[in-house]
Amino acid sequence: MSPQANPKDAPPDLVIRGGRVIDPANGVDGVRDLALAGGRIAACASSLAVPRGAQTLDATGLVVCPGFIDLHTHVREPGYEYKETVASATRAAAAGGFTTICAMPNTDPINDTRAVTELVLEHAAREGVVNVRPVGAITKGSRGEELAEIGELAEAGCVAVSDDGRPVMSSLVMRRALEYALAFDLPVIDHCEDLSLSADGVMHEGKVSTMLGLHGIPAAAEEVMVARDLALCELTGGRLHLAHMSCAGSIRMIREAKARGVRVTAEACPHHFSLTDEAVIGFSADAKMNPPLRTRADVQAVIEGLADGTIDAIATDHAPHAPEEKSWPIDQAPFGIVGLETALPLALALTASGRLTLPQVIRLLTAQPAAVIKSDRGTLGVGAVADVTIIDPAREWVVDPAQFRSKSRNTPFSGWKMTGAVVKTLVNGKVVYDAV
Amino acid sequence: MSLKRKDLLGIKDLEVEEINLILSTAESFKEVGGREIKKVPTLRGRTVVNLFFEPSTRTRASFELAAKRLSADVINISAGSSSAVKGETLMDTAKNLEAMGADLIVVRHGSSGAPALLARALRCSVINAGDGAHEHPTQALLDLSTIQERKGRLAGLTVVIVGDVLHSRVARSNLWGLTKLGARVRLVGPPTMVPRDLGAFGAEVYTSLDEALDGADVVMTLRLQLERQGRAFFPTLREYGRLWGLTRERLQRAKPDVLVMHPGPVNRGVEIAPEVADGLSSVILAQVTNGLAVRMAVLYLLSGGKSE
């Protein structure tokens, strides 16, 4: 990070003019000019003079907002470079409007040591086009037994810890993690799944799984762990963040816990508020993810949770897999779908249906995920690093996985007509994605 | 009339007319099995591949014989001898077989949806010979054929399906077929093995076998996969047999002319008492005989054959 020069003193080098600036962190929503200088936000006002030598960018009819922050990205490097790399994941992120992605630790080797964290950061510095913030493992090898050296992971640059992909099944280990991470002020992100209940499940347990003869993952597999984690959070005063919440019961419990003042945050994924388990009819492995697509009532509950603040962030759980892996029969194919390049229009669809306002959606993609990892990004405040996303909320396009920047193509949204597209993405004031 | 579809993947997607077409075509093929020369030239020059990724005696032999009686060329591939062990994907294996000119691929696979996957990728016809816990359409068709043969009808009959419905593709295919043709279906077994959700698909769900058998016209017992014991589905074989095993005494609650069916292979003394399996009400061997005619009908109709 460059030293904090006073950006008001430096002459702007770029002025983004006439866009609707939505900056929830600073309560801004209106037509403004946004001036950038030296990679930072220099000014935001109704009408700014453009000094000689500064570039301008006409954003009339467009929305200018802080770059999105994804709390949940599987970058796959090191170890699974055939699925995704830092280079490809950050390009996919930029194309989706994300300027910061949190790299999940279930790589090979697992990110449970400083060496892996540093490797990820080094690759990000060399090949990445957006900010990469590593998430370290909670336990050694994510085996759920002994704590990883969370202190050293924090020193190396991890912004959270998680055994994502796996839950921490031992309640004692989860308790200790929540307590121990307090020393470094790190959130503990849990993937809530009681493995004895989900067993060899492939999809949500319900009418559709019964009809298809596929092993089910009951909602209770998530809910019992959410209940446990909330109790442990209350016990320890730790910073708990619940990943990819998919069930009505989970949302209800989080809402109730927050009302009591429990220090919990939670995220939801676009697929969990856009699709139901009926997408699995036809047995496409591109509709297989964990947690699974659930019922219409669960989808409604997730949207309700986004609308009323129970859910803090929209996160992608971007999980690339190679086509040959997804061409196995559904019960043998891996869990997960790519999400970075489809998240925005799926979230915007909630505004079209009137369930959320556009500033609410932007807040769920920027200021609130920033707060979860205590990032200084997700804001257009003067002096902030100029991570900016410019979107056209009305632009229509059709999802063609062949066009993805991601290395992988595993999406259930292929062929979907979307409304809302990223026009430009800037990181440190530099354009890293340009749709033109 | 002909069957206007490329594949037979399940009963759920079939129209009532399509089921009746297959059943009536099977009736005319039953006659072939009674001839001295049990062969017709209908599918001469066609190639049928039996691609079995799970062990099977009855179904594989039945499809093979059905194809041979129609004069098709038949090859059998079982998972042990196929490229599956060398890591070739299901899709690659099937595409190679199609490249050799297979007209019909009969596939059995442990994964629900595997035949659907192949059907989407291949131009040739795919017949589902059992996929995971999803469907086993030819088994249901032969069951329907057997009931119709013995009872003269399906509409209005009460059919009890007893046992491990959760893991049973036979139960699902029969549920769809029987309800489409107007029979009442009662599902019974330990609640751990009878998903309550099936009530939403037109079945009546019971826990007591005695109650379910009351006035039944047909009882289908499902094979109990013995490895389920110890996975918390039921405590012991002893208790399972005591509560859900079909005994002569229990069967007396059903109608006097009740039919007893079993898709095989039978665990004698577990889900069904030997004297019931071999008793006068049992049509278990007739099911096997009818299976041949039903599979001939399916092979014939999917090859573009018409019934007059």
Side-chain angles (χ1 to χ4, degrees), chain B residues 9-28:
Chain B
L9 302 178
I11 303 293
K12 185 91 169 65
D13 300 329
L14 292 184
E15 303 293 334
V16 171
E17 299 73 45
E18 294 179 295
I19 297 175
N20 284 328
L21 171 65
I22 297 169
L23 295 180
S24 64
T25 309
E27 279 309 307
S28 52

Side-chain angles (χ1 to χ4, degrees), chain B residues 64-120:
Chain B
E64 181 176 357
L65 205 48
K68 284 181 169 165
R69 285 191 176 173
L70 294 168
S71 303
D73 296 316
V74 190
I75 57 169
N76 295 305
I77 298 169
S78 57
S81 63
S82 83
S83 299
V85 288
K86 297 177 200 155
E88 186 175 55
T89 67
L90 167 68
M91 201 71 90
D92 285 339
T93 304
K95 283 188 171 162
N96 277 282
L97 293 169
E98 186 177 54
M100 290 178 203
D103 298 292
L104 292 130
I105 294 183
V106 178
V107 62
R108 165 166 292 189
H109 201 284
S111 299
S112 299
L117 199 67
L118 294 185
R120 270 200 302 272

Side-chain angles (χ1 to χ4, degrees), chain A residues 206 210 212-213 282 327 331-332, chain B residues 12 111-112 117 120 134 172 197:
Chain A
T210 296
L212 297 178
S327 74
D331 58 347
Q332 296 170 30
Chain B
K12 185 91 169 65
S111 299
S112 299
L117 199 67
R120 270 200 302 272
H134 177 226
R172 280 181 185 71
D197 292 313

Side-chain angles (χ1 to χ4, degrees), chain B residues 50-51 209:
Chain B
N50 282 324
L51 180 57
L209 180 55

Side-chain angles (χ1 to χ4, degrees), chain A residues 54-363:
Chain A
Q55 288 188 306
T56 61
L57 210 155
D58 181 13
T60 309
L62 305 178
V63 169
V64 179
C65 57
F68 307 151
I69 296 172
D70 186 18
L71 294 175
H72 201 133
T73 310
H74 294 278
V75 171
R76 301 297 191 210
E77 193 175 351
Y80 304 101
E81 291 83 356
Y82 67 98
K83 298 177 197 254
E84 196 81 287
T85 60
V86 167
S88 62
T90 56
R91 278 164 183 79
F98 291 90
T99 53
T100 297
I101 57 176
C102 295
M104 281 295 163
N106 59 340
T107 46
D108 184 16
I110 282 174
N111 184 5
D112 60 358
T113 55
R114 175 193 287 274
V116 181
T117 301
E118 287 178 346
L119 178 89
V120 172
L121 288 171
E122 194 183 299
H123 283 209
R126 204 170 56 221
E127 297 150 20
V129 299
V130 306
N131 309 300
V132 177
R133 300 285 181 261
V135 175
I138 297 171
T139 63
K140 289 177 186 146
S142 287
R143 282 187 294 271
E145 294 160 4
E146 301 166 73
L147 293 182
E149 290 182 341
I150 294 173
E152 192 164 85
L153 290 168
E155 279 168 30
C158 287
V159 294
V161 286
S162 177
D163 278 353
D164 187 63
R166 294 183 204 173
V168 179
M169 279 297 285
S170 158
S171 302
L172 178 66
V173 172
M174 187 62 185
R175 176 208 169 141
R176 296 292 185 232
L178 283 163
E179 285 173 332
Y180 189 74
L182 277 170
F184 318 101
D185 198 23
L186 286 191
V188 178
I189 303 177
D190 199 22
H191 164 125
C192 292
E193 176 186 0
D194 183 320
L195 293 173
S196 66
L197 284 174
S198 58
D200 41 8
V202 174
M203 65 174 295
H204 173 67
E205 180 179 314
K207 274 172 65 176
V208 180
S209 69
T210 296
M211 180 179 93
L212 297 178
L214 288 170
H215 291 297
I217 301 173
E222 176 176 300
E223 290 159 355
V224 298
M225 295 301 262
V226 169
R228 180 202 73 170
D229 283 358
L230 290 171
L232 294 175
C233 182
E234 218 166 348
L235 172 69
T236 60
R239 281 178 65 194
L240 173 67
H241 178 74
L242 300 172
H244 43 50
M245 289 290 100
S246 68
C247 324
S250 306
I251 308 291
R252 196 168 57 235
M253 285 185 277
I254 298 165
R255 180 178 293 125
E256 189 268 341
K258 282 189 164 185
R260 275 186 298 118
V262 178
R263 195 154 71 138
V264 59
T265 54
E267 71 191 32
C269 305
H271 45 274
H272 288 132
F273 59 71
S274 306
L275 289 170
T276 68
D277 55 351
E278 291 184 6
V280 186
I281 296 171
F283 298 99
S284 168
D286 285 336
K288 179 183 180 184
M289 68 291 282
N290 191 9
L293 299 172
R294 303 221 184 249
T295 67
R296 193 158 301 280
D298 294 304
V299 168
Q300 293 309 316
V302 170
I303 295 171
E304 199 51 52
L306 291 165
D308 73 3
T310 302
I311 301 288
D312 300 86
I314 293 172
T316 67
D317 195 5
H318 178 82
H321 292 292
E324 60 271 20
E325 295 172 308
K326 280 291 195 179
S327 74
W328 285 96
I330 188 165
D331 58 347
Q332 296 170 30
F335 288 101
I337 60 167
V338 292
L340 287 167
E341 294 171 79
T342 49
L344 173 68
L346 293 170
L348 290 177
L350 300 177
T351 67
S353 64
R355 303 298 298 273
L356 270 75
T357 64
L358 181 56
Q360 272 183 304
V361 167
I362 302 298
R363 183 189 296 273

